[in-house]
Amino acid sequence: MQVKMEPSWAAKLQDEFEKPYFEGLVSFVKSEYATQKVFPPGKLIFNAFDHCPFDQVKVVILGQDPYHGPGQAHGLCFSVPDGVPFPFSLQNIFKEIKDDLGIPVPKSGNLERWARQGVFLLNATLTVRAHQAGSHQNHGWETFTDRVIHLLAEERENLVFMLWGAYAQRKGQFIDNSRHLVLQSVHPSPLSAHRGFFGNHHFSKTNEYLVANGKSPINW
C-alpha cells in the first residue's frame, strides 16, 4: 500500500503498510472522512512525520488524541496552528518552559518550530471525530504508533522520550533506559498539572542530555 509520508519514515514503515490491520485502518479512516467531520485535515494526518525525518529525531513527545475542536489539530501533538487560542494543556507546557528555562510564552502555539529541530510530536491515535475524544481509538492507530516508537527506541541512540501521564507511560514502558533518557511525569492537563508536571524540569533536562551526548539543544 502506498502511503504519502516523508521518505525516510515511509521506507522504515513500508512493511507495516502491508499488514492486514493497516489496510483495515485505512478503510476505516477513509470512511470516517467521507461521512463524518474528522480532524486533522486529511493531508496533515502524518504531519509529525513530514516535519521530522527518522534520522533527525532527537526528542519524542507522546500525546494521545488529536484535538477535536474546529481548527485546532494539525498533526502535531499538543500543537495548534498560528492564531488558534492555546488549549489548556499547551498553556501549561509553556508555563513550565517559562519557569524551567525563563523563556517567555510565545505568541503562537504552532510547534512546527520544535519539529524542525528534531522534536517528534506523535499522537498515539492520529485522527479523531469532531467533538468526540477517543472516537478513533482501537481501530489500529495504536498498533501503528507502537511500531513507530519501537523503531526509534531500537534503531536510534540517546533520544529523549517525554512520557506525560499514565497512557504515555504504558505505551513507552519497553524503552531501554540505558540507551535513551525517559522522562516521566503526570500529564499537563489542568486536572493533573499541579501534581507534578509543574516543576518537572523536563525541558532543561532534555537539553542537558542532548548536549552531553554531542547534540544541539532544543530552542524551546
Side-chain angles (χ1 to χ4, degrees):
M1 180 178 293
Q2 284 298 113
V3 176
K4 288 187 177 179
M5 183 186 282
E6 189 278 327
S8 67
W9 278 111
K12 293 286 183 186
L13 292 164
Q14 187 56 50
D15 289 349
E16 212 67 15
F17 300 151
E18 306 299 332
K19 293 180 179 178
Y21 90 85
F22 194 85
E23 294 185 9
L25 170 62
V26 169
S27 295
F28 166 75
V29 170
K30 284 182 175 178
S31 173
E32 285 286 288
Y33 273 91
T35 61
Q36 306 289 333
K37 184 66 175 175
V38 178
F39 300 126
K43 65 181 180 180
L44 298 179
I45 291 173
F46 296 112
N47 205 22
F49 299 82
D50 294 337
H51 275 85
C52 198
F54 182 81
D55 290 334
Q56 294 180 24
V57 174
K58 296 192 288 191
V59 181
V60 179
I61 299 180
L62 186 60
Q64 189 164 352
D65 261 4
Y67 295 125
H68 52 80
Q72 293 180 309
H74 67 137
L76 306 174
C77 74
F78 295 108
S79 179
V80 290
D82 295 329
V84 175
F86 301 168
F88 290 122
S89 291
L90 185 57
Q91 290 182 32
N92 289 337
I93 289 169
F94 287 148
K95 181 180 187 301
E96 174 57 22
I97 291 171
K98 182 179 180 183
D99 292 346
D100 187 14
L101 292 168
I103 297 172
V105 174
K107 289 185 167 55
S108 173
N110 189 335
L111 303 182
E112 288 177 3
R113 59 191 178 82
W114 291 5
R116 288 191 292 268
Q117 298 178 75
V119 182
F120 187 48
L121 296 160
L122 179 68
N123 275 315
T125 303
L126 299 187
T127 55
V128 69
R129 277 192 192 182
H131 310 299
Q132 295 185 44
S135 50
H136 283 190
Q137 292 177 7
N138 303 314
H139 287 279
W141 278 131
E142 296 89 343
T143 302
F144 176 73
T145 52
D146 279 351
R147 180 60 182 152
V148 169
I149 298 167
H150 272 275
L151 281 168
L152 288 166
E154 291 164 6
E155 296 190 13
R156 298 290 312 280
E157 299 280 350
N158 305 131
L159 300 183
V160 181
F161 290 86
M162 293 189 185
L163 307 178
W164 300 333
Y167 181 89
Q169 288 159 22
R170 286 194 301 272
K171 196 169 178 72
Q173 63 188 356
F174 67 88
I175 298 167
D176 185 347
N177 285 277
S178 68
R179 287 181 66 173
H180 305 286
L181 177 63
V182 180
L183 298 174
Q184 302 189 55
S185 78
V186 298
H187 195 275
S189 158
L191 300 175
S192 57
H194 63 283
R195 291 190 277 110
F197 182 80
F198 294 136
N200 67 18
H201 300 291
H202 280 187
F203 302 95
S204 59
K205 289 175 180 176
T206 291
N207 280 353
E208 289 165 6
Y209 181 82
L210 292 174
V211 171
N213 285 280
K215 302 179 184 184
S216 56
I218 305 299
N219 179 10
W220 299 107

